[in-house]
Amino acid sequence: MGSPQVLVPACSDPAVASLAAKWRTIDDYEVRIDRRRQIVLELGLGPINLVGMDVGGMVVYADASRHPDEVRRLVLSETLIPGFGLEEMMNPSAEGGTYGFGFHGQVDLATFLTQGKETEYLTPFYRLTSVRPDAEEYGAAHYLPHFTGPNGIRGGFQHYGAMIEDGKANRAEFTTRLPMPVLVLNGDHGYYRGQLLAGARQVAENIETDVIAQASHAYAFDNPQATAERFRRFFAVSDTERLVIVDEIRQFMARYAYYADHKQFDQLSRLFAPEATFTIHDPQGVQVMKMTGPKEIEDVITTSVGDATAIHHLFSFTTEVHSPVAASSTVTMEDWIDGSTLKVRGYGHYHGEFAKVDGSWRIEKFVQTRLRTDVLP
């Protein structure tokens, strides 16, 4: 018995790291799901990629099945799905069944027999669930302390004590199969691959399956490079998603030009993220202006345009999609401004970096480079 987990990517952002650390400490499924949703809302993320391993896989299945619109892609790994195959594995008399699930599910008895003997009971699991020679030492150092404290071992068993009820709840909630792509992933020396795949086929429409080579149950620990590469491929932006995002950026920039032409600078400023920057460079490449944040952008543009009539033409778009929530684009532009104090016609490009927040695109960085500026009579 290791430490049940939902995999959370390492991140240098202190806000993400803090939220992820809090999330990892929650054991109850319902609370974990609520906390995950709070994190996503707090960070302004759209549909997310969700990865669950071991008991974490049971959590993310429950999450994705209750909130399918919030999950872009789902990984179920080294796990079993309560209600769809887990129960058979809890019966040691059934083919492939194991005593572990049934024994651990008897929370009081299992605690009585193992409390005070956590090291002797748990240490072999670290060796049996990894192909690395240092697995036992690593598990004893990083996992064991969580189980040797007051009620630590009981807390671990309580996951198992709830599994039958979790299965009933999953069955009761099941109305249609998961719509998002699902990757069923195991180590090549892992556990329950056939049973997990059979369960996944009952609950999901679109399934990929794969194994991580030279890895056991703790596949991400055993072979982190192969794990990261497999996730990268599974979570990559699809061709359909790419086409949709390219069109969304075109529509976004069309709104930008409309707001600029109609001098709706309050609406234009809302297209920018809170910490966005907007810089302007002259034909010689010299930066002539830099604005930071929507309010400054609105104020500077309002003052600069004044009473002038402004017309913006946007032409070719070169858009690169980095992820479902990040893109960059270079747009050929021409603008014509005719006012009492400012009469110019300019040619150049907009270079934008975009992020999708709360389901809407926002500009994070905007650079206008001029190739030519003509002063009109």
Side-chain angles (χ1 to χ4, degrees):
M1 183 169 62
S3 179
Q5 58 186 297
V6 179
L7 300 182
V8 179
C11 182
S12 58
D13 187 324
V16 178
S18 175
L19 288 166
K22 292 179 184 176
W23 194 81
R24 287 192 183 100
T25 67
I26 303 299
D27 287 335
D28 180 79
Y29 282 17
E30 297 285 339
V31 179
R32 274 184 181 259
I33 292 170
D34 288 342
R35 181 60 58 84
R36 190 279 300 167
R37 300 186 76 202
Q38 291 172 20
I39 291 174
V40 170
L41 290 172
E42 194 167 333
L43 296 177
L45 303 177
I48 62 170
N49 299 320
L50 204 53
V51 180
M53 179 265 178
D54 196 275
V55 175
M58 303 177 194
V59 178
V60 299
Y61 167 74
D63 191 347
S65 66
R66 273 63 160 184
H67 308 287
D69 293 342
E70 298 178 11
V71 179
R72 174 180 173 264
R73 295 195 169 206
L74 177 69
V75 178
L76 299 173
S77 60
E78 289 292 324
T79 190
L80 294 162
I81 304 173
F84 299 92
L86 171 65
E87 291 73 12
E88 291 80 357
M89 295 305 299
M90 297 181 75
N91 181 0
S93 65
E95 183 178 354
T98 173
Y99 86 94
F101 286 102
F103 173 62
H104 295 165
Q106 301 299 312
V107 177
D108 291 337
L109 175 62
T111 302
F112 174 76
L113 293 175
T114 61
Q115 200 163 38
K117 308 177 185 67
E118 295 89 351
T119 300
E120 293 80 3
Y121 184 69
L122 295 177
T123 300
F125 282 95
Y126 307 136
R127 182 174 64 254
L128 294 171
T129 55
S130 174
V131 299
R132 283 177 47 167
D134 62 337
E136 187 172 314
E137 178 183 357
Y138 185 92
H142 292 84
Y143 298 142
L144 189 60
H146 296 288
F147 294 100
T148 54
N151 293 317
I153 194 73
R154 175 179 288 275
F157 292 140
Q158 283 174 331
H159 287 294
Y160 297 86
M163 286 177 181
I164 294 297
E165 292 304 314
D166 292 335
K168 293 177 182 178
N170 284 344
R171 283 286 185 179
E173 293 281 346
F174 183 74
T175 56
T176 186
R177 292 195 286 182
L178 299 174
M180 75 288 296
V182 176
L183 173 62
V184 172
L185 188 65
N186 290 82
D188 61 354
H189 292 79
Y191 298 98
Y192 315 125
R193 176 173 170 75
Q195 295 89 342
L196 172 57
L197 184 56
R201 284 171 173 158
Q202 295 180 64
V203 301
E205 292 278 359
N206 181 1
I207 297 174
E208 294 181 34
T209 181
D210 209 344
V211 296
I212 299 297
Q214 300 176 359
S216 185
H217 183 65
Y219 63 90
F221 173 73
D222 288 347
N223 196 338
Q225 291 81 13
T227 299
E229 172 59 22
R230 189 61 184 92
F231 286 168
R232 186 196 64 78
R233 287 189 284 121
F234 182 62
F235 294 140
V237 178
S238 69
D239 291 340
T240 300
E241 288 175 317
R242 191 177 306 278
L243 290 173
V244 169
I245 291 171
V246 168
D247 186 62
E248 288 176 343
I249 297 299
R250 289 177 62 89
Q251 296 292 332
F252 179 93
M253 288 302 299
R255 290 201 305 277
Y256 176 92
Y258 180 89
Y259 293 147
D261 290 349
H262 288 80
K263 302 173 75 171
Q264 297 178 8
F265 300 129
D266 59 335
Q267 296 288 345
L268 185 145
S269 69
R270 293 172 190 166
L271 300 179
F272 289 84
E275 304 299 324
T277 60
F278 185 178
T279 57
I280 298 175
H281 298 257
D282 67 15
Q284 288 70 47
V286 177
Q287 179 179 304
V288 296
M289 187 177 296
K290 180 176 182 180
M291 299 158 274
T292 302
K295 186 64 171 66
E296 184 178 3
I297 291 170
E298 178 183 352
D299 291 344
V300 171
I301 293 177
T302 300
T303 301
S304 299
V305 175
D307 64 352
T309 297
I311 299 174
H312 293 74
H313 291 162
L314 305 182
F315 301 101
S316 59
F317 287 69
T318 303
T319 300
E320 184 176 352
V321 179
H322 307 296
S323 79
V325 294
S328 57
S329 187
T330 299
V331 184
T332 305
M333 58 81 65
E334 174 188 359
D335 60 352
W336 178 75
I337 300 174
D338 185 6
S340 58
T341 59
L342 182 64
K343 295 177 179 288
V344 296
R345 189 168 188 172
Y347 309 85
H349 297 88
Y350 288 126
H351 309 269
E353 295 180 9
F354 306 88
K356 202 168 196 178
V357 180
D358 295 331
S360 299
W361 289 102
R362 293 287 184 271
I363 299 170
E364 291 194 317
K365 183 179 180 181
F366 210 46
V367 178
Q368 183 188 71
T369 56
R370 295 286 191 182
L371 297 175
R372 174 175 171 177
T373 302
D374 295 335
V375 178
L376 303 177

